[in-house]
Amino acid sequence: MSENNSYHSQVDKQNIIKLREVLSTLPRFCRTFFLGIQENTSTRTRLAYAYDLRVFFEYMHENNPVCNKMDITDYPLSLLDQIQKEDIEQYMEYVSYYIKDDHEVTNKERGKARKLSALKTMYNYFFISEKIEHNPAALVRMPKLHENAIIRLEPNEVATLLDQVEAGEKLTKKELEYHKKTRTRDLAILTLLLGTGIRVSECVGIDIPDLDFDVNGVKVRRKGGYDAVVYFGDEVEKALRDYLDEREMIIPCQGHEDALFLSLQNRRISVRSVELLVKKYASRVTTLKKITPHKLRSTYGTSLYEETGDIYLVADVLGHKDVNTTRKHYAAQADMRRRQAANKVKLRET
């Protein structure tokens, strides 16, 4: 498949179209901002910024006496200099809970941090460019993020999950009808996620030519837009080969010929579909944990760290650009290892 027709190219095109739609509702100066950050950000990041900035300007339009006198698209760049630190702080309180199109919207600390990050990035861009004189967003502190405990599957739960995919014993009668058609595919997907720690977006983007069984590696498009080869073991190889035997018998829809994992409609499987199949099988294994594809990634990362104790290796395999990101997520495991070390050295024989 040519680069222009690849899955990742298509996603980028869709994001660009959506971004243009959102930009048409934002102040015109926002176009300058998004052009300015284009080289250093992904289409997904820019689209997320656009959505968050729209919430901000809609809030200002509704609540600020200066802003509500004109349409949002007519806001001049000079308006940014009139917005005060208090305006942004009040906005941050507002996004904790508001109603949009008759739907309740809530944001906890991480959601609020993302929205403030979008504002900070925009203000910083125009401030450094000397287009505005003040940067009130820089004066607003980011919400303190509390680290959540890593939710993962225990080794026995991993085995039970894969057994459940193979047998489908706890599925409903209707689910079993689909299971007959998707069992081999579902097992390949879950084995691949659990055996490599790749992201769900990386998984659905895999094309058949990306697989190399000579080295047991698969090329994935990492977050940030670069390609990397991820290696897998014998269990993943067997699950993939079994699925490929079935995949050869399927006639894909036009434009989906190279896609590795196909839906029942013979199109490239979506992120949402993988999330739902993980939920379907995992709910039969544990009701105490909310297992998502990202939790399968955490399961792999935790197991790899426990086996190797090498945080740099874990960061590299998971595709973390900054090892501190990895360290932050697996600090609990590091502390547990240090506690275990306390009793390893005996000072006196008892």
Side-chain angles (χ1 to χ4, degrees):
M1 180 178 285
S2 69
E3 182 63 26
N4 288 334
N5 291 322
S6 73
Y7 165 76
H8 305 287
S9 271
Q10 293 302 318
V11 170
D12 282 342
K13 289 175 183 176
Q14 292 169 10
N15 287 340
I16 289 170
I17 292 172
K18 291 177 183 176
L19 177 59
R20 288 171 181 167
E21 293 173 356
V22 180
L23 276 175
S24 68
T25 67
L26 294 177
R28 293 184 180 90
F29 60 78
C30 285
R31 291 172 173 78
T32 303
F33 164 61
F34 282 100
L35 284 173
I37 66 172
Q38 183 171 310
E39 294 301 316
N40 299 315
T41 55
S42 67
T43 59
R44 179 183 177 184
T45 295
R46 294 197 297 279
L47 181 59
Y49 279 172
Y51 284 136
D52 287 339
L53 290 176
R54 182 164 65 181
V55 175
F56 174 71
F57 286 116
E58 287 177 346
Y59 165 81
M60 294 301 294
H61 188 263
E62 290 293 324
N63 296 276
N64 187 284
V66 175
C67 296
N68 64 20
K69 293 178 180 178
M70 65 187 91
D71 292 335
I72 292 176
T73 53
D74 293 331
Y75 288 174
L77 180 58
S78 59
L79 180 70
L80 294 184
D81 270 321
Q82 299 179 52
I83 294 173
Q84 303 296 313
K85 173 189 174 187
E86 290 75 15
D87 294 317
I88 298 176
E89 289 175 335
Q90 289 169 10
Y91 163 69
M92 294 305 296
E93 191 283 325
Y94 164 79
V95 297
S96 297
Y97 171 81
Y98 63 96
I99 297 177
K100 170 76 172 177
D101 299 329
D102 295 327
H103 292 288
E104 294 183 334
V105 181
T106 59
N107 283 282
K108 296 185 179 179
E109 52 194 28
R110 294 183 185 279
K112 293 169 73 172
R114 285 192 295 267
K115 284 179 167 48
L116 183 55
S117 178
L119 266 183
K120 283 178 175 287
T121 303
M122 180 187 68
Y123 260 98
N124 194 50
Y125 173 80
F126 287 118
F127 185 71
I128 290 178
S129 303
E130 299 184 338
K131 301 288 182 64
I132 57 176
E133 296 181 3
H134 306 288
N135 187 356
L139 304 176
V140 180
R141 289 185 178 183
M142 293 292 285
K144 184 176 181 179
L145 300 181
H146 296 87
E147 291 303 321
N148 297 322
I150 294 178
I151 297 176
R152 63 172 184 129
L153 292 172
E154 298 297 329
N156 65 306
E157 292 175 323
V158 170
T160 302
L161 175 63
L162 296 178
D163 288 344
Q164 178 60 224
V165 179
E166 283 193 307
E169 292 176 351
K170 297 182 181 179
L171 299 179
T172 65
K173 188 174 181 180
K174 186 175 182 179
E175 287 174 334
L176 280 171
E177 293 178 10
Y178 291 106
H179 181 258
K180 294 175 184 176
K181 303 174 184 177
T182 66
R183 182 183 72 89
T184 307
R185 182 204 67 186
D186 294 352
L187 185 61
I189 289 174
L190 285 169
T191 304
L192 179 63
L193 292 173
L194 284 163
T196 62
I198 61 174
R199 298 176 177 90
V200 62
S201 58
E202 296 165 350
C203 176
V204 302
I206 296 172
D207 289 330
I208 294 176
D210 293 332
L211 288 169
D212 184 351
F213 288 110
D214 289 336
V215 295
N216 271 8
V218 57
K219 184 176 72 174
V220 297
R221 178 66 58 88
R222 287 297 197 190
K223 187 178 179 181
Y226 66 97
D227 290 336
V229 175
V230 175
Y231 297 96
F232 50 82
D234 296 340
E235 291 175 291
V236 177
E237 178 190 3
K238 182 181 184 307
L240 288 173
R241 286 189 182 277
D242 288 345
Y243 169 66
L244 283 171
D245 288 341
E246 288 190 6
R247 173 69 175 76
E248 290 179 358
M249 308 302 293
I250 300 173
I251 301 176
C253 292
Q254 186 175 357
H256 301 262
E257 293 86 354
D258 283 345
L260 174 59
F261 294 116
L262 297 175
S263 68
L264 286 173
Q265 290 73 42
N266 295 342
R267 298 174 177 273
R268 184 186 298 274
I269 197 168
S270 67
V271 168
R272 182 58 179 158
S273 293
V274 175
E275 289 172 342
L276 288 173
L277 77 86
V278 169
K279 179 180 179 181
K280 176 177 68 176
Y281 291 116
S283 65
R284 268 67 176 198
V285 175
T286 173
T287 57
L288 299 178
K289 304 174 185 176
K290 183 181 178 182
I291 301 299
T292 63
H294 191 74
K295 300 301 187 294
L296 302 187
R297 178 171 160 82
S298 296
T299 297
Y300 175 81
T302 303
S303 297
L304 182 61
Y305 183 67
E306 288 179 347
E307 287 294 323
T308 66
D310 189 339
I311 199 71
Y312 294 95
L313 174 63
V314 176
D316 185 41
V317 172
L318 291 181
H320 290 161
K321 287 187 175 181
D322 185 354
V323 72
N324 287 320
T325 301
T326 320
R327 197 186 308 280
K328 178 176 64 177
H329 289 305
Y330 297 96
Q333 276 66 40
D335 185 64
M336 182 177 66
R337 291 173 66 89
R338 287 193 293 270
R339 286 174 181 270
Q340 291 174 346
N343 291 315
K344 293 297 182 183
V345 177
K346 301 295 183 182
L347 302 183
R348 291 189 296 177
E349 291 296 329
T350 57

